[in-house]
Amino acid sequence: DSGVTQTPKHLITATGQRVTLRCSPRSGDLSVYWYQQSLDQGLQFLIQYYNGEERAKGNILERFSAQQFPDLHSELNLSSLELGDSALYFCASSPGFSTGELFFGEGSRLTVL
Amino acid sequence: AQKVTQAQTEISVVEKEDVTLDCVYETRDTTYYLFWYKQPPSGELVFLIRRNSFDEQNEISGRYSWNFQKSTSSFNFTITASQVVDSAVYFCALSEMMGANFGNEKLTFGTGTRLTIIP
């Protein structure tokens, strides 16, 4: 158990809909990262937050947005969903001291029909 | 740009055989970290090892060992006496140090190697 909690574990929705994925980092970790794992793109970095502020952006679509709240949990919002958004979305956290290690949650599997 | 190449897409070996998973990386950074993660069929990503760019010592942990060679930009992973429980997808990853002191561990992952251990 990494200590990172993601909900929901599974989500099935239709094209055009909007969903929110939630992540609670390990206790004390200040950084939260979102990754997308799809069959054709592999594991792709989406976005990072550190102590509530956006720190880095990767291959995140404009239809996607994220935020980190004062209690350090984070949400990834996916809107106008397309079939190609079906993927496993991972959240990871780190202490924020350049330890070089990310602790991953179990992922949220999104299926868009 | 950083890049991690895992040329072996799939490997199958018979239980108790040794197996080596290859990882080659590209980076312009002088300071970086390399990682291996395991993704079992259940889907979670399990951290196996971290190695920083200044430490080229090989590491052994039980049946697992890692060979880091900076001269060839490789960070290979060997499982000795493989077991069925080792069946998983293994990812090599490289961290990009995006700034000092702020835990900017953005990881660039390879495409993974699916390892199947045949009983």
Side-chain angles (χ1 to χ4, degrees):
Chain A
D1 183 358
S2 68
V4 177
T5 304
Q6 288 187 248
T7 57
K9 286 189 170 36
H10 300 277
L11 190 55
I12 301 174
T13 189
T15 54
Q17 295 298 304
R18 172 190 166 95
V19 298
T20 297
L21 309 180
R22 182 189 167 100
C23 169
S24 294
R26 292 188 327 154
S27 176
D29 282 358
L30 299 176
S31 275
V32 170
Y33 302 74
W34 286 97
Y35 281 80
Q36 178 194 58
Q37 185 179 28
S38 60
L39 283 175
D40 54 344
Q41 296 288 332
L43 269 161
Q44 298 279 320
F45 168 71
L46 295 179
I47 197 164
Q48 180 211 0
Y49 281 83
Y50 174 79
N51 204 20
E53 293 187 5
E54 182 184 305
R55 291 287 296 171
K57 251 182 177 178
N59 302 320
I60 188 166
L61 300 172
E62 285 191 11
R63 299 183 285 108
F64 296 0
S65 64
Q67 55 183 324
Q68 185 179 30
F69 295 87
D71 66 353
L72 300 178
H73 91 271
S74 177
E75 292 181 357
L76 179 66
N77 301 297
L78 314 174
S79 61
S80 303
L81 285 168
E82 302 174 359
L83 296 178
D85 298 327
S86 295
L88 188 55
Y89 291 85
F90 283 105
C91 170
S93 72
S94 74
F97 299 112
S98 294
T99 61
E101 180 179 346
L102 299 188
F103 297 87
F104 282 85
E106 294 185 350
S108 292
R109 184 170 296 282
L110 172 66
T111 302
V112 182
L113 300 176
Chain B
Q2 304 205 332
K3 186 178 177 182
V4 176
T5 301
Q6 294 180 256
Q8 304 152 309
T9 307
E10 295 190 29
I11 300 176
S12 294
V13 299
V14 176
E15 196 174 18
K16 297 183 184 176
E17 287 185 354
D18 299 347
V19 58
T20 295
L21 309 182
D22 297 333
C23 173
V24 174
Y25 63 92
E26 296 174 29
T27 179
R28 286 179 293 184
D29 292 343
T30 55
T31 304
Y32 52 89
Y33 287 107
L34 294 162
F35 303 81
W36 278 94
Y37 282 86
K38 174 182 179 179
Q39 188 175 36
S42 49
E44 73 273 23
L45 283 166
V46 179
F47 167 81
L48 294 177
I49 190 172
R50 175 192 67 203
R51 172 66 70 224
N52 75 52
S53 52
F54 295 116
D55 183 2
E56 290 193 65
Q57 255 190 329
N58 292 331
E59 181 156 341
I60 298 174
S61 175
R63 297 184 296 106
Y64 295 170
S65 62
W66 291 269
N67 181 270
F68 175 31
Q69 292 198 342
K70 214 167 177 178
S71 60
T72 56
S73 298
S74 65
F75 186 45
N76 297 336
F77 172 31
T78 298
I79 301 175
T80 303
S82 60
Q83 300 176 1
V84 173
V85 293
D86 296 327
S87 295
V89 180
Y90 290 85
F91 290 95
C92 181
L94 172 67
S95 75
E96 177 180 326
M97 305 302 280
M98 298 183 291
N101 303 321
F102 288 102
N104 296 321
E105 287 87 11
K106 174 197 166 196
L107 293 180
T108 298
F109 284 88
T111 51
T113 297
R114 181 177 298 278
L115 176 64
T116 302
I117 309 299
I118 303 166

